[in-house]
Amino acid sequence: MIKVPHQRLLAKLKAHGIYGRILNWIDEWLKSRQQRLVLIGIMSSWLYVINGLPQGSILGPLLFLIYINDIDSGIVNRLFKFADDTKLVGTVYSAEEIEQFRSHIKSEVSIHKVDPVYSRLVNSCTRPVQWI
């Protein structure tokens, strides 16, 4: 799962040319969200939400797509994106190509803060495999 840090999202919106009142409105919309935990009738204090997008909103999916739009930059293999699902497809034939594949995955995990499922999977790979 990809967490969407608000400050990083706002920086990407600026990079896409979104400034002024619209950017400020989105910033306020994200910053004004709070949540708390209620467990067996006991309530925690309210905390501001600093990651994620509101579920059920119309704007949330669009902002998510803007956030992940560059996830495939620098990836040698093909990357398919649909909603919040991403598939990496490619064929590796040698130990060198496996190592290159690992390198790309580790790079993406660190840049985008994604759950390193692929990293664990790729680290266990020792023979040529077609990734689908």
Side-chain angles (χ1 to χ4, degrees), residues 95-114:
E96 183 178 308
E97 288 178 344
I98 291 170
E99 199 52 47
Q100 183 182 29
F101 188 80
R102 285 181 182 152
S103 169
H104 286 289
I105 295 299
K106 288 177 183 177
S107 156
E108 289 304 307
V109 166
S110 67
I111 291 170
H112 296 284
K113 309 292 187 220
V114 297

Side-chain angles (χ1 to χ4, degrees), residues 2-73:
I2 297 179
K3 293 181 182 176
V4 180
H6 296 164
Q7 292 306 311
R8 190 177 288 170
L9 172 63
L10 293 170
K12 287 189 176 196
L13 290 171
K14 285 180 189 176
H16 280 82
I18 298 172
Y19 291 97
R21 296 168 95 183
I22 294 174
L23 184 67
N24 290 339
W25 181 85
I26 292 170
D27 186 25
E28 288 300 318
W29 180 64
L30 293 172
K31 284 195 313 191
S32 65
R33 294 177 40 238
Q34 295 183 9
Q35 67 183 22
R36 69 177 173 181
L37 176 68
V38 179
L39 183 64
I40 315 171
I42 300 171
M43 292 182 234
S44 70
S45 58
W46 287 97
L47 296 173
Y48 284 97
V49 178
I50 59 171
N51 291 311
L53 298 167
Q55 293 183 344
S57 68
I58 293 172
L59 191 55
L62 176 63
L63 293 175
F64 181 76
L65 289 174
I66 290 171
Y67 183 74
I68 68 162
N69 189 47
D70 63 349
I71 197 170
D72 55 354
S73 63

Side-chain angles (χ1 to χ4, degrees), residues 109-126:
V109 166
S110 67
I111 291 170
H112 296 284
K113 309 292 187 220
V114 297
D115 181 9
V117 168
Y118 288 118
S119 183
R120 288 192 303 270
L121 182 63
V122 169
N123 283 329
S124 66
C125 179
T126 57

